[in-house]
Amino acid sequence: MERLIVSTSPHIRSDESVPKIMWTVVISLIPAAIAGCYFFGIRTDGTFSFRPIFVLLGSVGVAVAAEAIILSLRGKGARNALDGSAVITGMLFALVCSCGIPWYIVVLGSFFSIAVGKQMFGGLGYNIWNPALIGRAFALMAWGVEMGKRWPIPLQADALSGATPLDVLKTQEPSVAPYSIWNLFTGNVPGSLGETSALLLLVGGIFLIVRKYVDWRVPLSYIVTAVILCLVIPFKKEMTLPWFNNLSIFEQAGYYAFSGGLFLGAFFMATDMVTSPMTKKGALIFGIGCGILTALIRKLGGYPEGVCYSILLMNTLTPLIDRWTKPKKFGEVKPQPAAAAK
Amino acid sequence: MGLAQFTNEVVVTKGTSGIVVLTDAKPEIHRACIRCGRCVEACPMELVPSRLSILGEANQIDEAKENDVLDCIECGCCAYVCPSRRPIVQFVKYCKSELRIKEMKEKAKAKEAAQKSA
């Protein structure tokens, strides 16, 4: 007689799987990555620099290799490194860094993301913080000048400037917006490899929302909260609204939304399943909390951009948010005060 | 939800409403929970199945009871949608049986103590 498999119901599963989800996220990140390679890869004389592509592929390669080595050391099977999650971590780490960083930061940062940010906690599903952001926070602390002061100028590869749009706002407090809204939206501004093109990040993000791999509540509540607070909180007490003389209030809102890493963080990092709350109410709280922290760090903190640390801080709160927003079970009755007194 | 049979020599009784034979069923290796929240969305009893499966896997049956494992109706919606292919219903059943054994043991102990004092 043939051997039968005995298991509990259900015996038929949906065709969703972890690798499918992860590879879909990788695909949705590709447009923004291509935009970064285009803007920071083209030199003024029209030739193409492969530096952004090397940074991207190097980071992904190191992440997958580190994942495979650690998984095989832990006896979990090196094949699982190809489930796509390490590719996402490697890609995100490259996308949140300037492509002008030295090669050893790419290698060490990507390795740190996987080894300390993810595998140290037990691998996919057990990490508390977003691995790519852990890698970025580590690199920012270890090599502050290389990470925070060397931003490439778009369409002039190999030229490094010292300031992103948010750097300019923080250090010079100009009364006229330094970059046009259209350039900010399409990504034609100095910044990290993948954060500048809000347009293509939006395309990838909407693709994920349509495929239901991302809850729209997190990016929407995050961006709305951060923009409103950025408009309200002044850099200094004596400053008054509007901050920029040449922009209307809506254009200013767009300025705060499209500058810095807000779109990348809101669509691809705050929505990481492992490190964000499970319930819908929790997702709203998480997004609003990220928005508040981002605005506070941007306007009152020491860094020009606060997306990285705001998401890491809210990741820390995720287990607590999950406890607060635990769904009420079907048919549950509120404990009666009289019954409780007895 | 029916029960899987381990042999084809099971009798068909009056209560048998149907037999389902699956051809492409293969054992699947489950991964760790990635906390995507699909099971929480799917659960008709509005429990948190992901938590129950983790507690069942870790043998923390008292914590599972606190998380209302006994209210689970074992419909299997959570296990159907799970992208990590976790056998959530199996973990829930395990928790329930362990809780039943524990309860029986405690009852027997209480009975014994009552007999001794009497």
Side-chain angles (χ1 to χ4, degrees), chain A residues 219-233 241 243 249-259 262-263 266 287-288 290-296 298-299:
Chain A
L220 189 77
S221 61
Y222 187 174
I223 292 170
V224 168
T225 314
V227 167
I228 290 175
L229 282 178
C230 276
L231 285 175
V232 173
I233 302 172
L241 274 167
W243 314 124
I249 188 85
F250 292 108
E251 286 173 317
Q252 296 200 27
Y255 198 93
Y256 285 116
F258 304 145
S259 58
L262 187 56
F263 266 60
I288 291 170
C290 284
I292 293 171
L293 287 170
T294 301
L296 287 177
R298 271 188 185 180
K299 291 291 186 153

Side-chain angles (χ1 to χ4, degrees), chain A residues 215 217-218 221 270 275-290 314 317-318 320-327, chain B residues 35 40:
Chain A
D215 189 355
R217 288 170 184 81
V218 176
S221 61
T275 55
S276 64
M278 287 191 290
T279 57
K280 288 175 174 157
K281 218 197 291 176
L284 267 182
I285 296 173
F286 186 84
I288 291 170
C290 284
M314 288 310 287
L317 281 183
T318 296
L320 204 59
I321 295 173
D322 266 341
R323 191 174 294 181
W324 287 336
T325 59
K326 193 181 152 193
Chain B
R35 301 169 34 82
V40 183

